[in-house]
Amino acid sequence: NAGVMQNPRHLVRRRGQEARLRCSPMKGHSHVYWYRQLPEEGLKFMVYLQKENIIDESGMPKERFSAEFPKEGPSILRIQQVVRGDSAAYFCASSLGPAKNIQYFGAGTRLSVL
Amino acid sequence: DAKTTQPPSMDCAEGRAANLPCNHSTISGNEYVYWYRQIHSQGPQYIIHGLKNNETNEMASLIITEDRKSSTLILPHATLRDTAVYYCIVRVEGSNYQLIWGAGTKLIIKP
């Protein structure tokens, strides 16, 4: 019963370092979504990927943030030169496809920038 | 911006039915109502969704008004483990894959 797996669960970085967040979707799911959540707020959409393709990155900051979902391996959300404002919980979700669009979420990665 | 309005918080006694309201007065004809919940420090969990008919699954029931401008999520026998933030989301099936989240309702189940 492997759900969406995210790692690490907690990540601490100093300002200026890089953060890499990984997400393995549920078995059979080829669509991945990344969301960011600030304390006491709802989730905010960042990016939607299908295997090897970025479908929609409209919610992702133009600088320092990038995402990929290679043919083999997990999806990666990469944040370069982190700043304190990047501190948040980052959630990954997966679905069978946009038509089968129940999104199932992982437990999240909590990024703290010192 | 979220297209739904929910009360910020609610209490419910353990063992009783918890009824969580949601207003979505601008909902379009092809937009579904989805409910998720988020238990503290965990990822969101899908509960149920519907278009216009009432729906029931092993977790909850969803009642959608005839004009579709509001809905109610019902947890029939709330337990302490149901304490969470509950989010009501409207989206278009098969196209608008983004889930647009409001602030949700913080449901506290009391013993």
Side-chain angles (χ1 to χ4, degrees), chain A residues 9 33 35 37 41-45 48 55-56 58 91 98-108 110, chain B residues 34 36 38 40-46 49 87 91-103 106:
Chain A
R9 289 294 310 277
Y33 316 79
Y35 293 82
Q37 185 177 34
E41 293 186 10
L43 281 69
K44 296 284 195 297
F45 169 81
Y48 162 41
I55 307 301
D56 181 356
S58 61
F91 291 97
K100 304 280 187 185
N101 54 9
I102 295 174
Q103 294 182 16
Y104 296 94
F105 284 80
R110 277 145 188 86
Chain B
Y34 280 73
Y36 281 77
Q38 188 173 24
H40 183 62
S41 296
Q42 296 184 22
Q45 178 187 22
Y46 165 79
H49 75 288
Y87 295 96
R91 61 186 296 198
V92 178
E93 183 76 1
S95 62
N96 184 10
Y97 40 77
Q98 292 185 29
L99 293 176
I100 300 175
W101 303 70
K106 184 168 187 177

Side-chain angles (χ1 to χ4, degrees), chain B residues 37-110:
Chain B
R37 73 180 182 184
Q38 188 173 24
I39 296 170
H40 183 62
S41 296
Q42 296 184 22
Q45 178 187 22
Y46 165 79
I47 301 173
I48 199 167
H49 75 288
L51 182 63
K52 51 185 174 182
N53 297 322
N54 297 337
E55 302 287 345
T56 296
N57 63 20
E58 65 279 2
M59 287 184 69
S61 295
L62 174 60
I63 308 298
I64 303 174
T65 58
E66 193 167 341
D67 64 6
R68 302 207 328 117
K69 293 183 185 299
S70 66
S71 60
T72 301
L73 179 74
I74 301 172
L75 307 178
H77 304 287
T79 70
L80 298 179
R81 291 187 299 177
D82 292 322
T83 292
V85 179
Y86 287 76
Y87 295 96
C88 169
I89 299 163
V90 297
R91 61 186 296 198
V92 178
E93 183 76 1
S95 62
N96 184 10
Y97 40 77
Q98 292 185 29
L99 293 176
I100 300 175
W101 303 70
T105 295
K106 184 168 187 177
L107 176 66
I108 298 173
I109 307 300
K110 297 190 172 181

